[in-house]
Structures are given as structure tokens and as C-alpha cells.
Amino acid sequence: MTLPVIFILNGPNLNLLGEREPHIYGSVTLSEIEARSRARAETRGLAIEFRQTNYEGALIESVHEARKAAAGIVINPAGFSFTSIALLDALKMFDGPKIELHISNIHKREEIYHHSLVSKTATAVIAGLGPSGYEIAIDAMRMLIDESRA
Ligand code: CA2
């Protein structure tokens, strides 16, 4: 039996995680987060497609691809959260569960980080749990997929 696939999409600058601002984002790299996500997905009977891009169009194309290939999307849109109506529009066209994820608690930070456009279409939002948020998002995605099938 083929496992449901979850797309885990990461936006701009997250490739540099672990290199700067450890007081906000921690010292874990995105590769380490990917490895932890793979291990967690395996225990939950899910397959993952883990991607990072610094380009808005590439992120949108991954969302389009997910419409055919994924049972759910976990997305850390990073800076595009606050600017991209195009990303919001693409996510609106994805019918399955969508979890918006931020490593930091965006609401505790400066005003420019308080209004995510992506939240307007997200099934759920996770913020402030650090890199563990990815593993928690995978657990939550398993629950949402099971609920949608019940
Ligand atoms: O907390 C998050 O996950 C964010 O989505 C990260 C974004 C920021 O614009 C959001 O407000 C919250 C920024 C990612 C910056 O990535 C860095 C990588 C290395 C060092 C510092 C930041």
C-alpha cells in the first residue's frame, strides 16, 4: 500500500537556519529538521517531500504540484507569509489540510511579523515551538488525514 505523501515546504532564507540568530531560531539546521521530519513521518505511516526555495514562483509551483501529489501541506512560508497574495491564492486551490508553521512565535515579534496572509487559508497554524514544530505538524497532519477519511 502506498503511503500518503505530505509536502513540507520552506520559504526564503530557511536554508541558512542554524547559522544566525540562534536566540530566535535555534541552532538546528534545515537538514537536521528534514532528518527529524523523515524519522517522525516514518513512525506515522507518512511519506514526505521536503523542499526549500528562496523563490516565490518556485514555492507556488510546489503548491500546484501538491494538488495532484500530496494528501497535505506543511508550509513555513517565512517572509512570503506577510507579502504574498499569489502564495495565498495557490494555497486556496489546495483542497487537503494545510498547516502553516513558524519556528518562532511571530506574534511575540515586531509588528511586521504579525499579519500572515497564509493564515487566512491555513487549516491550522503552529508558531513558537522551535524546530520541534515540524514533528508536531506531522503528528497533526496524520490526525487531519485520518479525520478526513473517517
Ligand atoms: O519563525 C519562522 O519560522 C519564520 O517563518 C522565519 C522567517 C520569518 O520571516 C518569519 O517571521 C518567521 C525568516 C526565516 C529567516 O531564516 C533565518 C535563517 C538563518 C538565520 C536567521 C534567520
Side-chain angles (χ1 to χ4, degrees):
M1 208 182 73
T2 55
L3 300 178
V5 180
I6 304 305
F7 273 31
I8 302 182
L9 305 177
N10 296 281
N13 301 308
L14 289 165
N15 54 312
L16 299 178
L17 219 54
E19 290 185 21
R20 296 196 50 187
E21 303 189 87
H23 56 292
I24 302 176
Y25 301 107
S27 53
V28 177
T29 66
L30 196 63
S31 300
E32 285 163 353
I33 290 174
E34 178 176 357
R36 290 181 192 182
S37 298
R38 284 194 187 287
R40 180 62 70 107
E42 211 176 305
T43 68
R44 295 290 179 260
L46 297 170
I48 63 169
E49 178 67 31
F50 194 101
R51 298 182 185 173
Q52 188 277 330
T53 179
N54 294 320
Y55 297 94
E56 186 176 7
L59 196 56
I60 289 167
E61 286 186 349
S62 281
V63 174
H64 292 172
E65 199 183 321
R67 295 177 72 224
K68 291 232 159 59
I73 297 177
V74 175
I75 184 164
N76 184 344
F80 293 143
S81 315
F82 317 102
T83 62
S84 182
I85 292 171
L87 178 61
L88 170 64
D89 288 342
L91 284 164
K92 279 182 178 170
M93 291 184 256
F94 181 82
D95 288 331
K98 299 161 257 195
I99 298 179
E100 176 184 358
L101 165 63
H102 299 281
I103 295 168
S104 62
N105 179 356
I106 53 176
H107 301 288
K108 218 173 153 185
R109 301 181 58 196
E110 303 95 302
E111 169 71 23
I112 54 162
Y113 297 115
H114 290 182
H115 303 285
S116 166
L117 294 165
V118 169
S119 298
K120 298 190 181 303
T121 189
T123 312
V125 181
I126 295 172
L129 294 175
S132 303
Y134 285 79
E135 288 153 278
I136 290 161
I138 289 165
D139 290 351
M141 196 49 90
R142 179 76 256 182
M143 181 194 78
L144 291 168
I145 290 169
D146 290 345
E147 278 176 6
S148 72
R149 287 175 174 176

